[in-house]
Structures are given as C-alpha cells and as structure tokens.
C-alpha cells in the first residue's frame, strides 16, 4: 500500500446542506449522482449520503457517536488567517468547538464542526511549512 | 478557506498499536511526543491519542459510535492491486468490512477498518486517473 490518500468521503445527512456549507467557505465542487466531489490538491473531498456510505463500507447499522474520532486539518499562513477562517466557518453554519488559542508547539489553532459533526482544525503552525500550492511538508524531526 | 486539506488526524486508542498497523502496510512515519506523522503526498496522516484529540478539538466527553461517518480512500491502478492491498490489510490486523466487488461506476473496491475502526476504501476506479506520484484527479464531469 503506497503512502498516500486519494479521497476523504464525509458521510452527510443532507447532501445539499453539506454542499452549501462548503460552498459558503469558498469551495467549488461537482455533483454527480447525489455525490459532490471537491478537488483538493492531489486528492479530493467527497460528500455522500451517510447511509449510502455506511452500506457501501459494510458498516450499516453501526450507529455514530458525537465525535468521529478523526479530524481534518487546514493549515494556513498566519494567525490572522486562523481567525478569519474560523469566523467564515461560523458564518457558514459551523459550530466552533475550540476557539483559536496558542498551541503547545508554538502555533495558533482552533476547531469547528461542520453541519454533520466532522471536525476541522484550522491551524497556523510555523514548524510545518506550506508550499506555494498550499501543500504541507512534515519536517525531518530526526526521529523514526 | 482554500480548497485543500493539510492533515488527517486519526484518534487512536494505542499509538504504538496503530503505528504498527500502518507500518505493516509499508508506511514509514516519524514519532514526536507520542504523535506519529506519515507524509502522504502534499498532506499527512497523523496518529494521536483519541482522548488528546478530543480534548484538543473541544469535543471531550462526546462518545464515539462504531462508524465514524467518514471514509478514507486509497485508489490503486488495477483490480489485482485492490485484492493485494485488502489481503495485506487483513494480514496487518484490519477487519475487512466489505470484500472487494464490482462497483456501480465500473470499478472494483472493498473496505477495511483499521484497529481503531477508521474506514478505508481500497478502489480501482478507471474513471479517476492516478498520476505517476499517485495523486488523483477528479475528471471534469461537465456539471457544477
């Protein structure tokens, strides 16, 4: 298994509602057969009905809790951008679960939950440089 | 908010167990302060204690269900590779929740759950071309 991820599919209650949320954040997607695809760098974020995803994955009937045990992160280039994106997310209907604050690694970050409860961290991390295209590079920590 | 994802952090019960699972699949990471970082193209997959992640995200005390409502996907270049990766995952300790089968879009795919229940789809999708570096490109469906 190569060391890469192709798609992240978010199971959602209402595809239109979910799409509207991401579009309010400025994302543009394509909807095909009630599935929305957002190209995101070399991968894609996908919105799909939660029950269809559960059926497809063979986990139908397994109920979900309030916290999915997983967070997506969107890293930005400044503290001000953290505040701006969190404000934009709140304006688009997100719940701010963790207001932005200083982090133990010398950065600044906060979290929101999208309308289906998926957790997103918005972070400024001076130790994880972003490329011109926004791609992140984990530094060589000198460990394994 | 730019249209990209920087990190995916999987909340795990036992960081060592989780790391061992991904290493058995051939991934190589770096562990810093009980956090494992796997560079994955222009983003990274991170393993972190589930309780720390919940606390960090401001969602502590929200219990999790069996299905997180989210799936990661790893697309491959052939049917045979789907079977191989699923077999490798099972060998590494994954639960195969959906054995590989034909898909409605003319592909072939199956799912496993990692030791913490995070869902991964392994898919061959002839409609979503993979670049030499494994990056996926969503085709222009001619819709919006």
């Amino acid at each position: 298994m190569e060391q890469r991820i192709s798609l992240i599919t978010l199971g959602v209650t209402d595809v239109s509602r979910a799409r509207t949320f991401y579009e309010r954040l400025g994302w543009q997607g394509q909807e095909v057969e009630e599935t929305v695809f957002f190209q995101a760098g070399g991968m894609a974020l996908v919105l799909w009905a939660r029950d269809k995803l559960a059926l497809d994955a063979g986990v139908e009937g397994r109920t979900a809790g309030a916290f999915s045990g997983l967070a997506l992160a969107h890293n930005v280039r400044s503290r001000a951008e953290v505040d701006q994106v969190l404000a934009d997310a709140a304006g688009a209907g997100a719940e701010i679960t963790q207001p932005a604050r200083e982090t133990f690694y010398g950065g600044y970050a906060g979290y929101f939950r999208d309308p289906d409860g998926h957790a997103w961290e918005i972070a400024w991390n001076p130790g994880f440089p972003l490329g011109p295209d926004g791609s992140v590079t984990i530094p060589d920590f000198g460990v394994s």
Side-chain angles (χ1 to χ4, degrees), chain A:
Chain A
M1 184 176 183
E2 294 171 25
Q3 193 159 327
R4 56 186 175 72
I5 296 158
S6 306
L7 308 171
I8 301 172
T9 299
L10 304 182
V12 302
T13 304
D14 179 327
V15 171
S16 293
R17 181 185 69 166
R19 180 180 184 175
T20 297
F21 173 76
Y22 287 95
E23 287 182 343
R24 282 180 181 159
L25 291 179
W27 289 36
Q28 293 189 313
Q30 298 187 86
E31 187 166 344
V32 181
E33 295 179 357
E34 300 179 329
T35 309
V36 182
F37 295 90
F38 295 102
Q39 184 79 43
M43 56 169 297
L45 184 75
V46 181
L47 307 177
W48 199 26
R50 185 184 179 92
D51 55 350
K52 292 180 184 174
L53 176 59
L55 188 66
D56 197 53
V59 295
E60 63 275 20
R62 305 192 192 191
T63 55
F67 171 49
S68 67
L70 193 153
L72 309 175
H74 178 80
N75 285 20
V76 295
R77 296 178 180 81
S78 68
R79 287 167 181 269
E81 202 178 346
V82 172
D83 291 331
Q84 184 60 55
V85 173
L86 287 172
D88 290 347
E95 176 193 357
I96 304 297
T97 57
Q98 178 62 64
R101 57 179 179 177
E102 308 298 316
T103 67
F104 70 91
Y105 53 78
Y108 182 71
Y111 285 83
F112 69 80
R113 279 160 41 99
D114 80 4
D116 288 277
H118 297 294
W120 280 85
E121 182 183 28
I122 307 301
W124 170 68
N125 181 345
F128 285 12
L130 293 188
D133 64 352
S135 63
V136 70
T137 301
I138 305 301
D140 182 354
F141 290 111
V143 298
S144 64

